[in-house]
PDB file of all heavy atoms in Angstrom:
ATOM      1  N   VAL A   1       8.960  11.435   9.492  1.00 87.00           N
ATOM      2  CA  VAL A   1       9.888  11.593  10.618  1.00 87.00           C
ATOM      3  C   VAL A   1       9.192  12.196  11.829  1.00 87.00           C
ATOM      4  O   VAL A   1       9.748  12.216  12.926  1.00 87.00           O
ATOM      5  CB  VAL A   1      11.103  12.466  10.217  1.00 87.00           C
ATOM      6  CG1 VAL A   1      11.914  11.769   9.135  1.00 87.00           C
ATOM      7  CG2 VAL A   1      10.640  13.843   9.724  1.00 87.00           C
ATOM      8  N   ASP A   2       7.978  12.710  11.648  1.00 88.00           N
ATOM      9  CA  ASP A   2       7.207  13.319  12.728  1.00 88.00           C
ATOM     10  C   ASP A   2       5.798  12.745  12.695  1.00 88.00           C
ATOM     11  O   ASP A   2       5.134  12.764  11.654  1.00 88.00           O
ATOM     12  CB  ASP A   2       7.165  14.839  12.550  1.00 88.00           C
ATOM     13  CG  ASP A   2       6.533  15.544  13.755  1.00 88.00           C
ATOM     14  OD1 ASP A   2       5.798  14.877  14.506  1.00 88.00           O
ATOM     15  OD2 ASP A   2       6.775  16.755  13.924  1.00 88.00           O
ATOM     16  N   LEU A   3       5.314  12.227  13.815  1.00 88.00           N
ATOM     17  CA  LEU A   3       3.991  11.613  13.860  1.00 88.00           C
ATOM     18  C   LEU A   3       2.881  12.587  13.486  1.00 88.00           C
ATOM     19  O   LEU A   3       1.812  12.177  13.026  1.00 88.00           O
ATOM     20  CB  LEU A   3       3.725  11.040  15.258  1.00 88.00           C
ATOM     21  CG  LEU A   3       4.558   9.816  15.654  1.00 88.00           C
ATOM     22  CD1 LEU A   3       4.221   9.388  17.076  1.00 88.00           C
ATOM     23  CD2 LEU A   3       4.316   8.664  14.689  1.00 88.00           C
ATOM     24  N   ASP A   4       3.123  13.876  13.668  1.00 87.00           N
ATOM     25  CA  ASP A   4       2.118  14.869  13.296  1.00 87.00           C
ATOM     26  C   ASP A   4       1.905  14.927  11.786  1.00 87.00           C
ATOM     27  O   ASP A   4       0.931  15.511  11.309  1.00 87.00           O
ATOM     28  CB  ASP A   4       2.511  16.249  13.816  1.00 87.00           C
ATOM     29  CG  ASP A   4       2.430  16.338  15.333  1.00 87.00           C
ATOM     30  OD1 ASP A   4       1.671  15.543  15.922  1.00 87.00           O
ATOM     31  OD2 ASP A   4       3.126  17.184  15.922  1.00 87.00           O
ATOM     32  N   GLU A   5       2.833  14.332  11.023  1.00 90.00           N
ATOM     33  CA  GLU A   5       2.712  14.334   9.571  1.00 90.00           C
ATOM     34  C   GLU A   5       1.896  13.154   9.059  1.00 90.00           C
ATOM     35  O   GLU A   5       1.607  13.074   7.864  1.00 90.00           O
ATOM     36  CB  GLU A   5       4.110  14.314   8.930  1.00 90.00           C
ATOM     37  CG  GLU A   5       4.962  15.530   9.277  1.00 90.00           C
ATOM     38  CD  GLU A   5       6.364  15.409   8.698  1.00 90.00           C
ATOM     39  OE1 GLU A   5       6.571  14.529   7.830  1.00 90.00           O
ATOM     40  OE2 GLU A   5       7.246  16.172   9.117  1.00 90.00           O
ATOM     41  N   CYS A   6       1.530  12.225   9.939  1.00 94.00           N
ATOM     42  CA  CYS A   6       0.737  11.067   9.516  1.00 94.00           C
ATOM     43  C   CYS A   6      -0.659  11.510   9.083  1.00 94.00           C
ATOM     44  O   CYS A   6      -1.275  12.374   9.720  1.00 94.00           O
ATOM     45  CB  CYS A   6       0.623  10.045  10.645  1.00 94.00           C
ATOM     46  SG  CYS A   6       2.160   9.180  11.025  1.00 94.00           S
ATOM     47  N   ALA A   7      -1.161  10.911   8.020  1.00 94.00           N
ATOM     48  CA  ALA A   7      -2.495  11.240   7.528  1.00 94.00           C
ATOM     49  C   ALA A   7      -3.551  10.336   8.148  1.00 94.00           C
ATOM     50  O   ALA A   7      -4.590  10.809   8.611  1.00 94.00           O
ATOM     51  CB  ALA A   7      -2.537  11.123   6.003  1.00 94.00           C
ATOM     52  N   GLN A   8      -3.284   9.024   8.169  1.00 96.00           N
ATOM     53  CA  GLN A   8      -4.289   8.080   8.646  1.00 96.00           C
ATOM     54  C   GLN A   8      -4.407   8.073  10.162  1.00 96.00           C
ATOM     55  O   GLN A   8      -3.445   8.351  10.878  1.00 96.00           O
ATOM     56  CB  GLN A   8      -3.962   6.667   8.166  1.00 96.00           C
ATOM     57  CG  GLN A   8      -4.178   6.434   6.692  1.00 96.00           C
ATOM     58  CD  GLN A   8      -3.939   4.982   6.306  1.00 96.00           C
ATOM     59  OE1 GLN A   8      -3.333   4.208   7.035  1.00 96.00           O
ATOM     60  NE2 GLN A   8      -4.420   4.609   5.120  1.00 96.00           N
ATOM     61  N   ARG A   9      -5.622   7.730  10.614  1.00 94.00           N
ATOM     62  CA  ARG A   9      -5.820   7.398  12.026  1.00 94.00           C
ATOM     63  C   ARG A   9      -5.680   5.889  12.172  1.00 94.00           C
ATOM     64  O   ARG A   9      -5.223   5.200  11.253  1.00 94.00           O
ATOM     65  CB  ARG A   9      -7.201   7.859  12.483  1.00 94.00           C
ATOM     66  CG  ARG A   9      -7.376   9.363  12.472  1.00 94.00           C
ATOM     67  CD  ARG A   9      -8.664   9.758  13.160  1.00 94.00           C
ATOM     68  NE  ARG A   9      -9.845   9.539  12.322  1.00 94.00           N
ATOM     69  CZ  ARG A   9     -11.091   9.694  12.754  1.00 94.00           C
ATOM     70  NH1 ARG A   9     -11.314  10.050  14.016  1.00 94.00           N
ATOM     71  NH2 ARG A   9     -12.116   9.513  11.934  1.00 94.00           N
ATOM     72  N   GLU A  10      -6.080   5.361  13.305  1.00 93.00           N
ATOM     73  CA  GLU A  10      -6.034   3.921  13.488  1.00 93.00           C
ATOM     74  C   GLU A  10      -6.939   3.239  12.474  1.00 93.00           C
ATOM     75  O   GLU A  10      -7.911   3.816  11.991  1.00 93.00           O
ATOM     76  CB  GLU A  10      -6.485   3.559  14.905  1.00 93.00           C
ATOM     77  CG  GLU A  10      -7.875   4.087  15.254  1.00 93.00           C
ATOM     78  CD  GLU A  10      -8.171   3.969  16.731  1.00 93.00           C
ATOM     79  OE1 GLU A  10      -8.233   2.829  17.222  1.00 93.00           O
ATOM     80  OE2 GLU A  10      -8.344   5.008  17.384  1.00 93.00           O
ATOM     81  N   LEU A  11      -6.600   2.018  12.130  1.00 97.00           N
ATOM     82  CA  LEU A  11      -7.395   1.243  11.179  1.00 97.00           C
ATOM     83  C   LEU A  11      -8.508   0.556  11.956  1.00 97.00           C
ATOM     84  O   LEU A  11      -8.352  -0.557  12.457  1.00 97.00           O
ATOM     85  CB  LEU A  11      -6.499   0.244  10.454  1.00 97.00           C
ATOM     86  CG  LEU A  11      -5.332   0.876   9.679  1.00 97.00           C
ATOM     87  CD1 LEU A  11      -4.457  -0.197   9.061  1.00 97.00           C
ATOM     88  CD2 LEU A  11      -5.839   1.853   8.627  1.00 97.00           C
ATOM     89  N   HIS A  12      -9.654   1.227  12.032  1.00 97.00           N
ATOM     90  CA  HIS A  12     -10.748   0.809  12.920  1.00 97.00           C
ATOM     91  C   HIS A  12     -11.718  -0.149  12.241  1.00 97.00           C
ATOM     92  O   HIS A  12     -11.896  -1.286  12.689  1.00 97.00           O
ATOM     93  CB  HIS A  12     -11.482   2.055  13.412  1.00 97.00           C
ATOM     94  CG  HIS A  12     -12.744   1.783  14.163  1.00 97.00           C
ATOM     95  ND1 HIS A  12     -12.783   0.946  15.262  1.00 97.00           N
ATOM     96  CD2 HIS A  12     -14.025   2.222  13.962  1.00 97.00           C
ATOM     97  CE1 HIS A  12     -14.027   0.892  15.718  1.00 97.00           C
ATOM     98  NE2 HIS A  12     -14.797   1.642  14.951  1.00 97.00           N
ATOM     99  N   TYR A  13     -12.356   0.280  11.148  1.00 98.00           N
ATOM    100  CA  TYR A  13     -13.387  -0.519  10.506  1.00 98.00           C
ATOM    101  C   TYR A  13     -13.371  -0.248   9.012  1.00 98.00           C
ATOM    102  O   TYR A  13     -13.258   0.904   8.583  1.00 98.00           O
ATOM    103  CB  TYR A  13     -14.765  -0.171  11.079  1.00 98.00           C
ATOM    104  CG  TYR A  13     -15.930  -0.848  10.383  1.00 98.00           C
ATOM    105  CD1 TYR A  13     -16.129  -2.219  10.492  1.00 98.00           C
ATOM    106  CD2 TYR A  13     -16.827  -0.110   9.613  1.00 98.00           C
ATOM    107  CE1 TYR A  13     -17.202  -2.845   9.861  1.00 98.00           C
ATOM    108  CE2 TYR A  13     -17.906  -0.720   8.982  1.00 98.00           C
ATOM    109  CZ  TYR A  13     -18.075  -2.091   9.111  1.00 98.00           C
ATOM    110  OH  TYR A  13     -19.135  -2.713   8.475  1.00 98.00           O
ATOM    111  N   ALA A  14     -13.468  -1.303   8.216  1.00 98.00           N
ATOM    112  CA  ALA A  14     -13.482  -1.138   6.759  1.00 98.00           C
ATOM    113  C   ALA A  14     -14.444  -2.123   6.126  1.00 98.00           C
ATOM    114  O   ALA A  14     -14.540  -3.281   6.549  1.00 98.00           O
ATOM    115  CB  ALA A  14     -12.084  -1.333   6.178  1.00 98.00           C
ATOM    116  N   ILE A  15     -15.148  -1.649   5.113  1.00 98.00           N
ATOM    117  CA  ILE A  15     -15.943  -2.501   4.241  1.00 98.00           C
ATOM    118  C   ILE A  15     -15.236  -2.525   2.890  1.00 98.00           C
ATOM    119  O   ILE A  15     -14.975  -1.473   2.303  1.00 98.00           O
ATOM    120  CB  ILE A  15     -17.374  -1.969   4.061  1.00 98.00           C
ATOM    121  CG1 ILE A  15     -18.092  -1.882   5.406  1.00 98.00           C
ATOM    122  CG2 ILE A  15     -18.154  -2.862   3.103  1.00 98.00           C
ATOM    123  CD1 ILE A  15     -19.460  -1.208   5.316  1.00 98.00           C
ATOM    124  N   VAL A  16     -14.926  -3.703   2.397  1.00 97.00           N
ATOM    125  CA  VAL A  16     -14.238  -3.845   1.120  1.00 97.00           C
ATOM    126  C   VAL A  16     -15.255  -4.251   0.054  1.00 97.00           C
ATOM    127  O   VAL A  16     -15.847  -5.335   0.138  1.00 97.00           O
ATOM    128  CB  VAL A  16     -13.111  -4.893   1.211  1.00 97.00           C
ATOM    129  CG1 VAL A  16     -12.386  -5.007  -0.131  1.00 97.00           C
ATOM    130  CG2 VAL A  16     -12.122  -4.523   2.317  1.00 97.00           C
ATOM    131  N   ASP A  17     -15.462  -3.379  -0.922  1.00 96.00           N
ATOM    132  CA  ASP A  17     -16.340  -3.702  -2.039  1.00 96.00           C
ATOM    133  C   ASP A  17     -15.575  -4.593  -3.020  1.00 96.00           C
ATOM    134  O   ASP A  17     -14.360  -4.463  -3.169  1.00 96.00           O
ATOM    135  CB  ASP A  17     -16.795  -2.416  -2.722  1.00 96.00           C
ATOM    136  CG  ASP A  17     -17.911  -2.653  -3.725  1.00 96.00           C
ATOM    137  OD1 ASP A  17     -18.540  -3.740  -3.679  1.00 96.00           O
ATOM    138  OD2 ASP A  17     -18.163  -1.765  -4.551  1.00 96.00           O
ATOM    139  N   GLU A  18     -16.312  -5.478  -3.715  1.00 94.00           N
ATOM    140  CA  GLU A  18     -15.675  -6.488  -4.579  1.00 94.00           C
ATOM    141  C   GLU A  18     -14.584  -7.205  -3.787  1.00 94.00           C
ATOM    142  O   GLU A  18     -13.430  -7.311  -4.196  1.00 94.00           O
ATOM    143  CB  GLU A  18     -15.101  -5.837  -5.837  1.00 94.00           C
ATOM    144  CG  GLU A  18     -16.110  -5.079  -6.666  1.00 94.00           C
ATOM    145  CD  GLU A  18     -17.254  -5.952  -7.196  1.00 94.00           C
ATOM    146  OE1 GLU A  18     -17.093  -7.185  -7.208  1.00 94.00           O
ATOM    147  OE2 GLU A  18     -18.298  -5.403  -7.553  1.00 94.00           O
ATOM    148  N   VAL A  19     -14.975  -7.715  -2.623  1.00 95.00           N
ATOM    149  CA  VAL A  19     -14.012  -8.246  -1.659  1.00 95.00           C
ATOM    150  C   VAL A  19     -13.230  -9.427  -2.207  1.00 95.00           C
ATOM    151  O   VAL A  19     -12.041  -9.602  -1.886  1.00 95.00           O
ATOM    152  CB  VAL A  19     -14.747  -8.623  -0.343  1.00 95.00           C
ATOM    153  CG1 VAL A  19     -15.746  -9.741  -0.574  1.00 95.00           C
ATOM    154  CG2 VAL A  19     -13.762  -8.998   0.743  1.00 95.00           C
ATOM    155  N   ASP A  20     -13.855 -10.256  -3.041  1.00 93.00           N
ATOM    156  CA  ASP A  20     -13.129 -11.406  -3.571  1.00 93.00           C
ATOM    157  C   ASP A  20     -12.022 -10.965  -4.517  1.00 93.00           C
ATOM    158  O   ASP A  20     -10.955 -11.588  -4.566  1.00 93.00           O
ATOM    159  CB  ASP A  20     -14.079 -12.381  -4.264  1.00 93.00           C
ATOM    160  CG  ASP A  20     -15.026 -11.687  -5.237  1.00 93.00           C
ATOM    161  OD1 ASP A  20     -15.179 -10.455  -5.155  1.00 93.00           O
ATOM    162  OD2 ASP A  20     -15.616 -12.385  -6.081  1.00 93.00           O
ATOM    163  N   SER A  21     -12.244  -9.886  -5.254  1.00 92.00           N
ATOM    164  CA  SER A  21     -11.206  -9.389  -6.153  1.00 92.00           C
ATOM    165  C   SER A  21     -10.033  -8.797  -5.376  1.00 92.00           C
ATOM    166  O   SER A  21      -8.868  -9.110  -5.641  1.00 92.00           O
ATOM    167  CB  SER A  21     -11.797  -8.332  -7.089  1.00 92.00           C
ATOM    168  OG  SER A  21     -10.784  -7.722  -7.862  1.00 92.00           O
ATOM    169  N   ILE A  22     -10.342  -7.957  -4.378  1.00 94.00           N
ATOM    170  CA  ILE A  22      -9.283  -7.245  -3.656  1.00 94.00           C
ATOM    171  C   ILE A  22      -8.552  -8.154  -2.667  1.00 94.00           C
ATOM    172  O   ILE A  22      -7.317  -8.147  -2.582  1.00 94.00           O
ATOM    173  CB  ILE A  22      -9.864  -6.012  -2.943  1.00 94.00           C
ATOM    174  CG1 ILE A  22     -10.326  -4.975  -3.984  1.00 94.00           C
ATOM    175  CG2 ILE A  22      -8.840  -5.384  -2.001  1.00 94.00           C
ATOM    176  CD1 ILE A  22     -11.029  -3.769  -3.398  1.00 94.00           C
ATOM    177  N   LEU A  23      -9.302  -8.937  -1.897  1.00 95.00           N
ATOM    178  CA  LEU A  23      -8.681  -9.737  -0.834  1.00 95.00           C
ATOM    179  C   LEU A  23      -8.235 -11.125  -1.275  1.00 95.00           C
ATOM    180  O   LEU A  23      -7.488 -11.789  -0.554  1.00 95.00           O
ATOM    181  CB  LEU A  23      -9.635  -9.875   0.353  1.00 95.00           C
ATOM    182  CG  LEU A  23      -9.999  -8.587   1.079  1.00 95.00           C
ATOM    183  CD1 LEU A  23     -10.755  -8.908   2.362  1.00 95.00           C
ATOM    184  CD2 LEU A  23      -8.770  -7.747   1.390  1.00 95.00           C
ATOM    185  N   ILE A  24      -8.679 -11.587  -2.438  1.00 93.00           N
ATOM    186  CA  ILE A  24      -8.257 -12.900  -2.922  1.00 93.00           C
ATOM    187  C   ILE A  24      -7.409 -12.760  -4.187  1.00 93.00           C
ATOM    188  O   ILE A  24      -6.236 -13.112  -4.204  1.00 93.00           O
ATOM    189  CB  ILE A  24      -9.471 -13.818  -3.198  1.00 93.00           C
ATOM    190  CG1 ILE A  24     -10.285 -14.015  -1.918  1.00 93.00           C
ATOM    191  CG2 ILE A  24      -8.999 -15.168  -3.732  1.00 93.00           C
ATOM    192  CD1 ILE A  24      -9.550 -14.684  -0.783  1.00 93.00           C
ATOM    193  N   ASP A  25      -7.987 -12.197  -5.261  1.00 90.00           N
ATOM    194  CA  ASP A  25      -7.262 -12.102  -6.532  1.00 90.00           C
ATOM    195  C   ASP A  25      -6.030 -11.212  -6.426  1.00 90.00           C
ATOM    196  O   ASP A  25      -4.984 -11.516  -6.996  1.00 90.00           O
ATOM    197  CB  ASP A  25      -8.186 -11.565  -7.632  1.00 90.00           C
ATOM    198  CG  ASP A  25      -9.372 -12.485  -7.885  1.00 90.00           C
ATOM    199  OD1 ASP A  25      -9.286 -13.667  -7.504  1.00 90.00           O
ATOM    200  OD2 ASP A  25     -10.382 -12.027  -8.444  1.00 90.00           O
ATOM    201  N   GLU A  26      -6.154 -10.096  -5.708  1.00 90.00           N
ATOM    202  CA  GLU A  26      -5.041  -9.151  -5.606  1.00 90.00           C
ATOM    203  C   GLU A  26      -4.314  -9.231  -4.258  1.00 90.00           C
ATOM    204  O   GLU A  26      -3.496  -8.367  -3.954  1.00 90.00           O
ATOM    205  CB  GLU A  26      -5.549  -7.715  -5.796  1.00 90.00           C
ATOM    206  CG  GLU A  26      -6.207  -7.445  -7.131  1.00 90.00           C
ATOM    207  CD  GLU A  26      -6.599  -5.984  -7.285  1.00 90.00           C
ATOM    208  OE1 GLU A  26      -5.726  -5.111  -7.095  1.00 90.00           O
ATOM    209  OE2 GLU A  26      -7.774  -5.718  -7.594  1.00 90.00           O
ATOM    210  N   ALA A  27      -4.604 -10.267  -3.490  1.00 91.00           N
ATOM    211  CA  ALA A  27      -4.100 -10.328  -2.112  1.00 91.00           C
ATOM    212  C   ALA A  27      -2.587 -10.188  -2.027  1.00 91.00           C
ATOM    213  O   ALA A  27      -2.068  -9.510  -1.136  1.00 91.00           O
ATOM    214  CB  ALA A  27      -4.539 -11.638  -1.457  1.00 91.00           C
ATOM    215  N   ARG A  28      -1.866 -10.832  -2.919  1.00 88.00           N
ATOM    216  CA  ARG A  28      -0.402 -10.822  -2.850  1.00 88.00           C
ATOM    217  C   ARG A  28       0.220  -9.695  -3.659  1.00 88.00           C
ATOM    218  O   ARG A  28       1.444  -9.620  -3.757  1.00 88.00           O
ATOM    219  CB  ARG A  28       0.140 -12.168  -3.338  1.00 88.00           C
ATOM    220  CG  ARG A  28      -0.322 -13.360  -2.496  1.00 88.00           C
ATOM    221  CD  ARG A  28       0.172 -13.257  -1.073  1.00 88.00           C
ATOM    222  NE  ARG A  28      -0.242 -14.374  -0.253  1.00 88.00           N
ATOM    223  CZ  ARG A  28       0.430 -15.508  -0.114  1.00 88.00           C
ATOM    224  NH1 ARG A  28       1.567 -15.671  -0.773  1.00 88.00           N
ATOM    225  NH2 ARG A  28      -0.009 -16.470   0.665  1.00 88.00           N
ATOM    226  N   THR A  29      -0.617  -8.846  -4.241  1.00 85.00           N
ATOM    227  CA  THR A  29      -0.072  -7.726  -5.006  1.00 85.00           C
ATOM    228  C   THR A  29       0.664  -6.769  -4.070  1.00 85.00           C
ATOM    229  O   THR A  29       0.069  -6.257  -3.118  1.00 85.00           O
ATOM    230  CB  THR A  29      -1.194  -6.964  -5.732  1.00 85.00           C
ATOM    231  OG1 THR A  29      -1.879  -7.860  -6.604  1.00 85.00           O
ATOM    232  CG2 THR A  29      -0.632  -5.796  -6.532  1.00 85.00           C
ATOM    233  N   PRO A  30       1.945  -6.519  -4.314  1.00 87.00           N
ATOM    234  CA  PRO A  30       2.673  -5.620  -3.404  1.00 87.00           C
ATOM    235  C   PRO A  30       2.495  -4.156  -3.775  1.00 87.00           C
ATOM    236  O   PRO A  30       2.491  -3.788  -4.946  1.00 87.00           O
ATOM    237  CB  PRO A  30       4.137  -6.061  -3.609  1.00 87.00           C
ATOM    238  CG  PRO A  30       4.177  -6.533  -5.026  1.00 87.00           C
ATOM    239  CD  PRO A  30       2.818  -7.119  -5.335  1.00 87.00           C
ATOM    240  N   LEU A  31       2.298  -3.335  -2.762  1.00 89.00           N
ATOM    241  CA  LEU A  31       2.357  -1.886  -2.929  1.00 89.00           C
ATOM    242  C   LEU A  31       3.778  -1.472  -2.579  1.00 89.00           C
ATOM    243  O   LEU A  31       4.296  -1.832  -1.522  1.00 89.00           O
ATOM    244  CB  LEU A  31       1.352  -1.199  -2.007  1.00 89.00           C
ATOM    245  CG  LEU A  31      -0.118  -1.552  -2.239  1.00 89.00           C
ATOM    246  CD1 LEU A  31      -0.973  -0.927  -1.153  1.00 89.00           C
ATOM    247  CD2 LEU A  31      -0.571  -1.092  -3.608  1.00 89.00           C
ATOM    248  N   ILE A  32       4.411  -0.723  -3.453  1.00 84.00           N
ATOM    249  CA  ILE A  32       5.828  -0.399  -3.274  1.00 84.00           C
ATOM    250  C   ILE A  32       6.045   1.096  -3.446  1.00 84.00           C
ATOM    251  O   ILE A  32       5.582   1.689  -4.423  1.00 84.00           O
ATOM    252  CB  ILE A  32       6.697  -1.171  -4.293  1.00 84.00           C
ATOM    253  CG1 ILE A  32       6.529  -2.685  -4.105  1.00 84.00           C
ATOM    254  CG2 ILE A  32       8.163  -0.772  -4.144  1.00 84.00           C
ATOM    255  CD1 ILE A  32       7.189  -3.497  -5.193  1.00 84.00           C
ATOM    256  N   ILE A  33       6.735   1.706  -2.504  1.00 85.00           N
ATOM    257  CA  ILE A  33       7.220   3.076  -2.642  1.00 85.00           C
ATOM    258  C   ILE A  33       8.728   3.000  -2.801  1.00 85.00           C
ATOM    259  O   ILE A  33       9.427   2.415  -1.971  1.00 85.00           O
ATOM    260  CB  ILE A  33       6.854   3.936  -1.418  1.00 85.00           C
ATOM    261  CG1 ILE A  33       5.332   4.138  -1.359  1.00 85.00           C
ATOM    262  CG2 ILE A  33       7.564   5.288  -1.489  1.00 85.00           C
ATOM    263  CD1 ILE A  33       4.885   4.981  -0.185  1.00 85.00           C
ATOM    264  N   SER A  34       9.200   3.556  -3.885  1.00 75.00           N
ATOM    265  CA  SER A  34      10.628   3.448  -4.182  1.00 75.00           C
ATOM    266  C   SER A  34      11.186   4.802  -4.584  1.00 75.00           C
ATOM    267  O   SER A  34      10.443   5.750  -4.858  1.00 75.00           O
ATOM    268  CB  SER A  34      10.863   2.429  -5.305  1.00 75.00           C
ATOM    269  OG  SER A  34      10.152   2.805  -6.466  1.00 75.00           O
ATOM    270  N   GLY A  35      12.495   4.879  -4.607  1.00 74.00           N
ATOM    271  CA  GLY A  35      13.186   6.101  -5.005  1.00 74.00           C
ATOM    272  C   GLY A  35      14.364   5.755  -5.885  1.00 74.00           C
ATOM    273  O   GLY A  35      14.744   4.586  -6.003  1.00 74.00           O
ATOM    274  N   PRO A  36      14.970   6.740  -6.536  1.00 70.00           N
ATOM    275  CA  PRO A  36      16.078   6.468  -7.461  1.00 70.00           C
ATOM    276  C   PRO A  36      17.324   5.996  -6.732  1.00 70.00           C
ATOM    277  O   PRO A  36      17.632   6.432  -5.635  1.00 70.00           O
ATOM    278  CB  PRO A  36      16.304   7.821  -8.150  1.00 70.00           C
ATOM    279  CG  PRO A  36      15.810   8.821  -7.153  1.00 70.00           C
ATOM    280  CD  PRO A  36      14.662   8.175  -6.456  1.00 70.00           C
ATOM    281  N   ALA A  37      18.015   5.067  -7.374  1.00 67.00           N
ATOM    282  CA  ALA A  37      19.298   4.582  -6.835  1.00 67.00           C
ATOM    283  C   ALA A  37      20.400   4.994  -7.800  1.00 67.00           C
ATOM    284  O   ALA A  37      20.380   6.100  -8.338  1.00 67.00           O
ATOM    285  CB  ALA A  37      19.239   3.072  -6.646  1.00 67.00           C
ATOM    286  N   GLU A  38      21.333   4.082  -8.070  1.00 64.00           N
ATOM    287  CA  GLU A  38      22.447   4.441  -8.935  1.00 64.00           C
ATOM    288  C   GLU A  38      22.004   4.493 -10.401  1.00 64.00           C
ATOM    289  O   GLU A  38      20.912   4.089 -10.740  1.00 64.00           O
ATOM    290  CB  GLU A  38      23.587   3.430  -8.774  1.00 64.00           C
ATOM    291  CG  GLU A  38      23.240   2.032  -9.288  1.00 64.00           C
ATOM    292  CD  GLU A  38      22.549   1.203  -8.231  1.00 64.00           C
ATOM    293  OE1 GLU A  38      22.239   1.742  -7.158  1.00 64.00           O
ATOM    294  OE2 GLU A  38      22.306   0.010  -8.485  1.00 64.00           O
ATOM    295  N   GLU A  39      22.893   5.022 -11.259  1.00 62.00           N
ATOM    296  CA  GLU A  39      22.597   5.088 -12.684  1.00 62.00           C
ATOM    297  C   GLU A  39      22.407   3.676 -13.241  1.00 62.00           C
ATOM    298  O   GLU A  39      23.026   2.720 -12.785  1.00 62.00           O
ATOM    299  CB  GLU A  39      23.746   5.791 -13.430  1.00 62.00           C
ATOM    300  CG  GLU A  39      23.888   7.266 -13.112  1.00 62.00           C
ATOM    301  CD  GLU A  39      22.708   8.074 -13.633  1.00 62.00           C
ATOM    302  OE1 GLU A  39      22.046   7.611 -14.579  1.00 62.00           O
ATOM    303  OE2 GLU A  39      22.448   9.161 -13.085  1.00 62.00           O
ATOM    304  N   SER A  40      21.526   3.558 -14.229  1.00 66.00           N
ATOM    305  CA  SER A  40      21.238   2.254 -14.805  1.00 66.00           C
ATOM    306  C   SER A  40      22.451   1.715 -15.552  1.00 66.00           C
ATOM    307  O   SER A  40      23.194   2.450 -16.192  1.00 66.00           O
ATOM    308  CB  SER A  40      20.047   2.342 -15.753  1.00 66.00           C
ATOM    309  OG  SER A  40      18.881   2.661 -15.032  1.00 66.00           O
ATOM    310  N   SER A  41      22.612   0.399 -15.488  1.00 78.00           N
ATOM    311  CA  SER A  41      23.749  -0.254 -16.122  1.00 78.00           C
ATOM    312  C   SER A  41      23.485  -0.482 -17.604  1.00 78.00           C
ATOM    313  O   SER A  41      22.354  -0.705 -18.030  1.00 78.00           O
ATOM    314  CB  SER A  41      24.012  -1.595 -15.435  1.00 78.00           C
ATOM    315  OG  SER A  41      24.959  -2.351 -16.161  1.00 78.00           O
ATOM    316  N   GLU A  42      24.560  -0.449 -18.402  1.00 87.00           N
ATOM    317  CA  GLU A  42      24.448  -0.752 -19.827  1.00 87.00           C
ATOM    318  C   GLU A  42      24.130  -2.219 -20.059  1.00 87.00           C
ATOM    319  O   GLU A  42      23.793  -2.618 -21.172  1.00 87.00           O
ATOM    320  CB  GLU A  42      25.757  -0.373 -20.529  1.00 87.00           C
ATOM    321  CG  GLU A  42      25.869   1.092 -20.880  1.00 87.00           C
ATOM    322  CD  GLU A  42      24.734   1.560 -21.794  1.00 87.00           C
ATOM    323  OE1 GLU A  42      24.412   0.846 -22.778  1.00 87.00           O
ATOM    324  OE2 GLU A  42      24.144   2.615 -21.508  1.00 87.00           O
ATOM    325  N   LEU A  43      24.246  -3.031 -18.999  1.00 91.00           N
ATOM    326  CA  LEU A  43      23.931  -4.456 -19.152  1.00 91.00           C
ATOM    327  C   LEU A  43      22.459  -4.676 -19.512  1.00 91.00           C
ATOM    328  O   LEU A  43      22.114  -5.709 -20.093  1.00 91.00           O
ATOM    329  CB  LEU A  43      24.270  -5.213 -17.865  1.00 91.00           C
ATOM    330  CG  LEU A  43      25.760  -5.392 -17.564  1.00 91.00           C
ATOM    331  CD1 LEU A  43      25.966  -6.041 -16.199  1.00 91.00           C
ATOM    332  CD2 LEU A  43      26.411  -6.242 -18.652  1.00 91.00           C
TER     333      LEU A  43
END
């Protein structure tokens, strides 16, 4: 909620090791941050 709490700076330059694995094999892998919702259903 406050920009001062951000950890990262701008995304300037990156070298990806094992680039074919990360950028091709895992390219569509979603990173997800989630939280609890309602109680689980008996279904």
Side-chain angles (χ1 to χ4, degrees):
V1 296
D2 188 339
L3 291 178
D4 291 336
E5 298 176 14
C6 290
Q8 288 184 343
R9 294 190 283 174
E10 56 192 296
L11 301 177
H12 171 54
Y13 174 69
I15 300 173
V16 181
D17 191 16
E18 303 299 342
V19 64
D20 48 343
S21 173
I22 293 175
L23 296 190
I24 300 298
D25 298 340
E26 300 184 53
R28 299 297 180 89
T29 301
L31 299 173
I32 300 172
I33 293 180
S34 58
E38 67 274 6
E39 292 293 336
S40 294
S41 170
E42 278 301 315
L43 288 175

